């Protein structure tokens, strides 16, 4: 997958909110998912640069972009990658393309999901105000209505379901085992990842990666996929004083692994940082390996659960 951005058009002086507009990057491999337009489209899709990375906002057409491994190294495992951004933007580079490239380098077919977002003002000042308003509300870890949380994501879950359907439909072409397609998400994308497993019906992810996502307790089915969680203790958005999501998985008797780093903040993604949170990706890959997902022999939803072996 090739992506380029026109950073040369950025203003000479940095904007007060730290964001600079850029042209929409070329995304020649992006595949439209045909999930339709949201009912409240108010502004065209736009892109900007912030924190040294690239973000999209006002996304009204969902796409999926493949990052395929060298066929000689392909494991047959695939991952749908869901960037975060509070459902108001998408961290397409740090939590999308960079993650997908790293997975492809390890023999995993990766697919970046650009899912539909809630509308925000067209200008960056208005968008920055919308972000401030969102952050002024209750922290995600303080929202205790799981049913309402899941119900608010109908559009995004539909995009995730369409992504899984597309990868399964083209599994032979992309050298993917249809039973070994997982999903990893960041922040809001992690919420979408968990929602896809719980209410995504035919999506049926084989495994999940929840990277600094909400820790809300949910009703977890007996066949929930294995779950990997990583977050930092100094994450100002999560305020992790407990791990109800972990307990939900454990109460259902399903595999779950938690990495709780002392430092790292929120949104560390693939940024190089001098904190142990940077190790999350290597740990995620090792976790996938432990579940037999990188050896080309299987693992997936059922085989990754030792209790089901030989059942």
């Amino acid at each position: 997958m090739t992506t380029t951005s026109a950073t040369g058009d950025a203003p000479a002086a940095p904007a007060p909110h730290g964001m600079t507009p850029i042209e929409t990057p070329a995304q020649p491999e992006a595949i439209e998912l045909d999930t339709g337009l949201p009912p409240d489209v108010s502004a065209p899709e736009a892109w900007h640069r912030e924190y040294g990375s690239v973000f999209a906002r006002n996304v009204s057409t969902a796409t999926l972009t493949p990052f395929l491994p060298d066929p000689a190294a392909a494991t047959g495992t695939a991952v749908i990658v869901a960037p975060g951004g509070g459902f108001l933007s998408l961290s397409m580079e740090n939590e999308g393309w960079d993650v997908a490239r790293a997975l492809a380098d390890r023999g995993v077919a990766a697919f970046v999901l650009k899912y539909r977002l809630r509308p925000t003002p067209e200008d960056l000042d208005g968008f920055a105000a919308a972000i401030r308003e969102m952050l002024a509300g209750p922290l995600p870890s303080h929202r205790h209505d799981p049913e309402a949380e899941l119900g608010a994501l109908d559009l995004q879950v539909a995009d995730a379901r369409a992504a899984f359907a597309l990868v399964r439909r083209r599994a032979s072409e992309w050298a993917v085992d249809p039973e070994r397609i997982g999903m990893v998400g960041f922040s809001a994308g992690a919420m979408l990842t968990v929602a896809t497993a719980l209410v995504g019906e035919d999506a049926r992810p084989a495994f999940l990666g929840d990277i600094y996502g909400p820790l809300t307790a949910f009703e977890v089915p007996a066949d929930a996929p294995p779950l990997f969680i990583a977050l930092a203790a100094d994450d100002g958005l999560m305020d992790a004083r407990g791990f109800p999501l972990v307990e939900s998985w454990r109460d259902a008797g399903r595999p779950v692994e938690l990495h709780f780093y002392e430092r790292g903040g929120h949104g560390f993604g693939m940024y190089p940082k001098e904190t142990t949170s940077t190790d999350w990706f290597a740990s995620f890959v090792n976790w996938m390996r432990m579940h037999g997902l990188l050896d080309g022999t299987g693992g997936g939803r059922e085989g990754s659960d030792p209790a089901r072996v030989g059942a």
Side-chain angles (χ1 to χ4, degrees):
M1 189 272 182
T2 303
T3 57
T4 59
S5 57
T7 56
D9 293 333
H17 41 60
M19 307 174 197
T20 55
I22 62 173
E23 292 182 4
T24 299
Q27 303 161 79
E29 286 85 17
I31 303 167
E32 291 193 9
L33 291 174
D34 298 323
T35 49
L37 297 175
D40 50 0
V41 175
S42 60
E45 182 176 312
W47 291 65
H48 66 272
R49 182 171 292 276
E50 185 180 13
Y51 308 121
S53 192
V54 170
F55 292 75
R57 56 194 178 90
N58 285 322
V59 173
S60 58
T61 299
T63 67
L64 193 70
T65 300
F67 289 74
L68 303 178
D70 183 332
T75 62
T77 294
V79 176
I80 308 292
V81 181
F87 299 109
L88 301 181
S89 67
L90 291 173
S91 179
M92 293 297 296
E93 189 170 19
N94 178 51
E95 298 173 351
W97 302 329
D98 289 348
V99 178
R101 292 188 187 101
L103 287 167
D105 286 345
R106 288 154 179 81
V108 177
F111 301 86
V112 177
L113 176 60
K114 188 175 74 173
Y115 51 88
R116 291 172 290 175
L117 298 174
R118 296 164 187 163
T120 60
E122 186 170 353
D123 63 291
L124 277 175
D125 289 336
F127 171 70
I131 293 291
R132 288 195 298 270
E133 181 180 354
M134 178 190 69
L135 295 177
L139 295 176
S141 56
H142 291 170
R143 299 170 192 165
H144 297 300
D145 189 344
E147 186 174 344
E149 287 189 53
L150 295 176
L153 300 180
D154 287 348
L155 290 180
Q156 292 79 18
V157 170
D159 294 342
R161 291 178 62 191
F164 275 89
L166 175 62
V167 175
R168 289 195 175 102
R169 190 163 59 245
R170 299 179 63 173
S172 296
E173 172 189 349
W174 288 330
V176 166
D177 181 340
E179 298 302 315
R180 297 172 63 181
I181 307 171
M183 188 170 182
V184 61
F186 302 79
S187 193
M191 180 68 229
L192 175 57
T193 295
V194 172
T196 300
L198 298 180
V199 297
E201 301 178 9
D202 54 351
R204 298 179 294 105
F207 56 96
L208 307 175
D210 173 347
I211 315 303
Y212 43 82
L215 298 172
T216 308
F218 290 102
E219 184 175 345
V220 177
D223 64 346
L227 172 64
F228 176 96
I229 301 174
L231 75 160
D234 62 350
D235 186 331
L237 293 184
M238 291 301 104
D239 187 25
R241 290 173 288 186
F243 307 100
L245 182 64
V246 174
E247 295 309 316
S248 295
W249 243 257
R250 286 172 56 84
D251 289 346
R254 303 305 297 147
V256 57
E257 178 163 320
L258 169 67
H259 292 255
F260 188 47
Y261 299 102
E262 177 185 343
R263 288 184 292 161
H266 190 79
F268 47 82
M270 300 299 281
Y271 287 126
K273 300 183 73 172
E274 294 187 6
T275 63
T276 53
S277 61
T278 301
D279 296 337
W280 80 266
F281 183 77
S283 295
F284 180 59
V285 170
N286 287 334
W287 178 81
M288 292 173 64
R289 182 176 293 110
M290 179 181 73
H291 281 280
L293 294 164
L294 300 185
D295 58 12
T297 62
R301 190 180 181 89
E302 300 298 327
S304 60
D305 182 357
R308 293 175 180 260
V309 175

